[in-house]
């Protein structure tokens, strides 16, 4: 009896080779995507097919769409889809601007400069910052020197920009309560602010009648974001948008419009800035202040809402006064 197995047919061989080639291509893309030269300007001007969008974004969300809608031409708003978010995540997920310049990476400045230049190029804010200083702690004056020539002259004084920390910190239940996304009950761990806090901020914003519009700026791909979390992140955008709209402001969204550097320049260019959670937003507040603008942020009120007691960043004695500026 002949027990020799029959050789695989050409069709089977071709199928196996095709599958292996496909897997190799996927592996190459994910392992070496940091070296890809993705032309985001082309991607922005030629959006990918709409059928690749994440639909529905938020069940029952009504008029809220992933595509940015605005009637204010002076702002660079852009339609986006889930494929673009994934590409941005591959390229920029590890670009930690705030942690780098504040020394939170615990890496010597020269190594930070080289590492960021190798991975993201030498023209980033981080690379230019460390070309001017080897300081292990934040130098706001140097950072402002880097971004000042890049600031936009086209933004209007009738608009406040509101930064939302999103991505891996998106929170479905934080709108009606203060959410702590880490293990400690501290102010620095509050990344998504509740409705009560923004209602408090609105009281001060209304003292500036010149402000009639609000731009919500955020990136959904920040951190270890899973595709399924995007709907939660956009729900946070929707909640803030509806609140400010109810108070008579024209609200538009700048969602995933640019790289972290581009968003940083966009927000720093505004005269009025509403701080969000996280170090990136705190850094933005410092740059707006350096540029002569006003920053709406009240950490003491957040401490009150969260009932935070043991935190040096909380000043309960002065919790009733809204801080319009940030420290230098």
């Amino acid at each position: 009896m002949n027990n020799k197995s029959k050789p695989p047919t050409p069709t089977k061989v071709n199928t196996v080779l095709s599958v292996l080639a496909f897997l190799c291509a996927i592996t190459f893309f994910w392992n070496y995507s940091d070296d890809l030269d993705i032309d985001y300007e082309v991607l922005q001007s030629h959006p990918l097919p709409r059928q690749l969008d994440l639909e529905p974004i938020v069940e029952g969300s009504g008029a809220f769409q992933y595509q940015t809608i605005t009637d204010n031409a002076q702002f660079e708003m852009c339609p986006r889809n889930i494929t673009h978010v994934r590409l941005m995540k591959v390229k920029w997920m590890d670009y930690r601007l705030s942690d780098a310049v504040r020394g939170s990476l615990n890496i010597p400045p020269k190594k930070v400069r080289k590492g960021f230049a190798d991975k993201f190029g030498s023209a980033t804010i981080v690379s230019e910052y460390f070309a001017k200083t080897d300081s292990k702690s934040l130098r706001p004056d140097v950072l402002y020197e880097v971004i000042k020539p890049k600031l936009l002259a086209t933004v209007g004084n009738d608009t406040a920009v509101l930064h939302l920390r999103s991505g891996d910190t998106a929170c479905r239940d934080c709108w009606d309560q203060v959410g702590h996304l880490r293990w400690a009950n501290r102010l620095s761990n509050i990344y998504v602010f509740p409705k009560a806090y923004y209602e408090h901020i609105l009281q001060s914003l209304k003292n500036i009648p010149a402000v009639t519009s609000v731009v919500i700026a955020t990136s959904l791909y920040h951190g270890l974001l899973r595709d399924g979390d995007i709907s939660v992140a956009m729900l946070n955008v929707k909640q803030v948008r509806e609140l400010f709209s109810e108070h008579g402001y024209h609200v538009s969204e700048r969602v995933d419009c640019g790289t972290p550097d581009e968003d940083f320049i966009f927000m720093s260019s505004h005269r009025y800035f509403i701080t969000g959670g996280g170090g990136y937003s705190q850094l933005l507040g410092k740059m707006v202040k350096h540029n002569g603008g006003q920053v709406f942020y009240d950490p003491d009120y957040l401490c009150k809402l969260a009932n935070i007691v043991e935190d040096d960043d909380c000043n309960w004695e002065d919790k009733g006064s809204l801080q319009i500026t940030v420290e230098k």
Side-chain angles (χ1 to χ4, degrees), residues 40 43-45 47 50 53 66-68 78-85 88 255-258:
Y40 290 101
L43 186 60
Q44 178 173 336
S45 60
R50 298 297 299 171
D53 285 0
Y66 190 29
Q67 179 175 343
T68 300
C78 47
R80 281 295 177 259
N81 57 52
I82 184 61
T83 302
H84 173 76
V85 174
M88 293 290 278
V255 179
D256 292 324
C257 276

Side-chain angles (χ1 to χ4, degrees), residues 21 31 87 128 143 192 204 224 239 251 257 266:
N31 289 340
L87 289 175
E128 292 183 22
L143 183 60
V192 181
S204 183
L224 301 177
Q239 290 166 332
V251 183
C257 276
F266 175 82

Side-chain angles (χ1 to χ4, degrees), residues 140 144 147-148 151 155 157 159 208 267-273 283-296 324-326 328:
Y144 180 66
I147 72 166
K148 185 177 180 180
L151 294 178
V155 297
N157 290 331
T159 301
I208 305 178
M267 287 184 269
S268 297
S269 301
H270 284 75
R271 182 175 179 180
Y272 305 106
F273 176 68
L283 205 61
L284 280 164
K286 294 180 185 297
M287 294 302 98
V288 171
K289 179 63 167 53
H290 268 271
N291 201 41
Q294 293 182 317
V295 177
F296 296 86
I324 302 298
T325 60
V326 294
K328 294 183 179 180

Side-chain angles (χ1 to χ4, degrees), residues 21-32:
F22 174 78
L23 292 176
C24 289
I26 292 296
T27 302
F28 174 84
F29 177 79
W30 286 111
N31 289 340
Y32 299 98

Side-chain angles (χ1 to χ4, degrees), residues 199-218:
E199 289 176 333
H200 176 69
I201 291 296
L202 276 161
Q203 296 176 17
S204 183
L205 186 63
K206 289 179 179 179
N207 291 329
I208 305 178
V211 176
T212 58
S213 300
V214 174
V215 176
I216 301 173
T218 189

